[in-house]
Amino acid sequence: HVQLVESGGASVQTGGSLRLSCAFSGNTRNTHCMAWFRQAPGKEREGVAFVDGAGATTVAEPVKGRFTISKDDAKHTLYLQMNSLEPEDTATYFCAAAISDLPVDVVATLGHWSFSYWGPGTQVTVS
């Protein structure tokens, strides 16, 4: 069983930066893929960034070149570094995990329904 708790959400101005953190419990190394999703009011939950069990990463096209995902297994923490933030990035950001050995390019195609474990979310507002 995996438990996830996000932190780091805040209100920032356009062009600013934030780093989100997701503290996770349980052994996710090699057996889980993890991801950041976001959901804006009235919109579908969308995948933003992904990491597979081997540590390979990828980000979704709308945030490519601005967001970076990383995972520190020693600290049991998943990160999302967000730079050059835009108002369109305003959303609740969720950390998610799934038991999977799929490579990251496949993980990135999975919908949110494929992830079993979720944090409560953290709010990011860009104005």
Side-chain angles (χ1 to χ4, degrees):
H1 188 69
V2 177
Q3 292 184 315
L4 308 168
V5 179
E6 306 92 339
S7 62
S11 295
V12 297
Q13 293 189 335
T14 299
S17 297
L18 280 176
R19 188 175 79 160
L20 305 184
S21 299
C22 171
F24 57 85
S25 64
N27 182 12
T28 65
R29 191 176 303 183
N30 297 326
T31 61
H32 290 70
C33 59
M34 297 189 73
W36 287 97
F37 283 78
R38 68 184 181 185
Q39 189 167 20
K43 292 190 175 182
E44 291 276 329
R45 190 169 296 192
E46 63 173 350
V48 173
F50 307 85
V51 56
D52 66 18
T57 64
T58 192
V59 298
E61 196 62 37
V63 305
K64 196 158 288 186
R66 301 189 297 122
F67 290 13
T68 304
I69 186 172
S70 61
K71 182 168 173 258
D72 188 332
D73 285 311
K75 294 183 177 180
H76 290 82
T77 304
L78 182 74
Y79 300 101
L80 184 68
Q81 178 66 44
M82 306 187 294
N83 299 326
S84 302
L85 283 161
E86 303 167 352
E88 293 72 23
D89 297 317
T90 295
T92 301
Y93 284 71
F94 299 90
C95 175
I99 299 175
S100 173
D101 60 358
L102 294 172
V104 72
D105 56 340
V106 178
V107 170
T109 67
L110 300 177
H112 61 83
W113 51 86
S114 298
F115 289 79
S116 304
Y117 305 103
W118 291 88
T122 187
Q123 179 66 36
V124 172
T125 303
V126 186
S127 60

